[in-house]
Amino acid sequence: MKTPALLFALFAVFASPVHAAAPTAAAPAAPAARASMPAACPAVLHQSFKRLQDDVPQDLCQYAGKVVLVVNTASYCGFTSQYQGLEALYAKYGSRGLVVLGFPSNDFGKQEPGNAKEIADFCFNTYGVKFPMFAKSSVKGPQANPLHASLIKATGEEPKWNFTKYLIDRNGNIVEYFPSKVTPEDKVLVSKIEKALAM
């Protein structure tokens, strides 16, 4: 039979604030862990490309969970000034989850003849481009880079000129194709971006 002193000691242990507060303190840990989990990488972003500035391979899965605007670019095109608007979009919406990905291409009118350094210097020095840019590649036909091949297959729309745009939502769904003449300031494009960011 337990003595009264022993019973009192057991009661004091289980009634102490440390034991009472332990479950409550541990509870918030679960949501925090879920919030820090990385987004699953959608199939369209399962690609790796060399960075324009230094040829370091970049896994596009790092942009999983973001809204992605893919643009094929050129330095000597009537649409080249769109770099300014694209950088403005990236600056305005980047903190909310938008990333612009630039893919220089010499496919149209041979308007991107330069090497990687020349292209990178032009983009930064002329338009202050800070959004990710990748090594020059083809974006149409059988030589299209893997990302553009996937975008063409999904939309049925191949780039017809420089500064064609594809919008991808946070889940990797291709939202829409925009031809070159649709500028970064276009109300329809901006509204589609804002809608995708709100998801």
Side-chain angles (χ1 to χ4, degrees), residues 66-154:
K66 291 183 177 291
V67 174
V68 180
L69 186 65
V70 178
V71 188
N72 61 293
T73 64
S75 299
Y76 301 100
C77 175
F79 296 113
T80 299
S81 60
Q82 288 190 18
Y83 268 129
Q84 186 172 353
L86 292 168
E87 180 59 30
L89 281 177
Y90 181 57
K92 181 176 181 178
Y93 295 107
S95 61
R96 290 173 55 186
L98 174 71
V99 64
V100 178
L101 303 183
F103 289 83
S105 176
N106 201 36
D107 285 346
F108 305 102
K110 304 298 182 186
Q111 294 178 343
E112 190 62 285
N115 60 36
K117 184 180 186 309
E118 290 169 338
I119 297 168
D121 287 350
F122 172 81
C123 290
F124 183 75
N125 294 334
T126 309
Y127 295 103
V129 170
K130 297 181 182 68
F131 59 80
M133 294 282 294
F134 300 93
K136 187 163 67 173
S137 64
S138 183
V139 298
K140 66 170 187 169
Q143 302 302 316
N145 69 57
L147 176 60
H148 276 85
S150 297
L151 294 170
I152 293 164
K153 183 177 180 181

Side-chain angles (χ1 to χ4, degrees), residues 118-194:
E118 290 169 338
I119 297 168
D121 287 350
F122 172 81
C123 290
F124 183 75
N125 294 334
T126 309
Y127 295 103
V129 170
K130 297 181 182 68
F131 59 80
M133 294 282 294
F134 300 93
K136 187 163 67 173
S137 64
S138 183
V139 298
K140 66 170 187 169
Q143 302 302 316
N145 69 57
L147 176 60
H148 276 85
S150 297
L151 294 170
I152 293 164
K153 183 177 180 181
T155 62
E157 295 281 1
E158 186 176 65
K160 297 173 179 63
W161 201 252
N162 306 306
F163 290 88
T164 295
K165 304 159 194 71
Y166 297 88
L167 185 63
I168 305 170
D169 71 14
R170 295 184 189 274
N171 298 315
N173 302 308
I174 293 87
V175 175
E176 199 153 336
Y177 157 94
F178 297 93
S180 309
K181 65 181 181 180
V182 177
T183 68
E185 300 82 11
D186 184 271
K187 290 181 180 179
V188 175
L189 172 60
V190 172
S191 67
K192 293 282 186 180
I193 290 172
E194 290 181 339

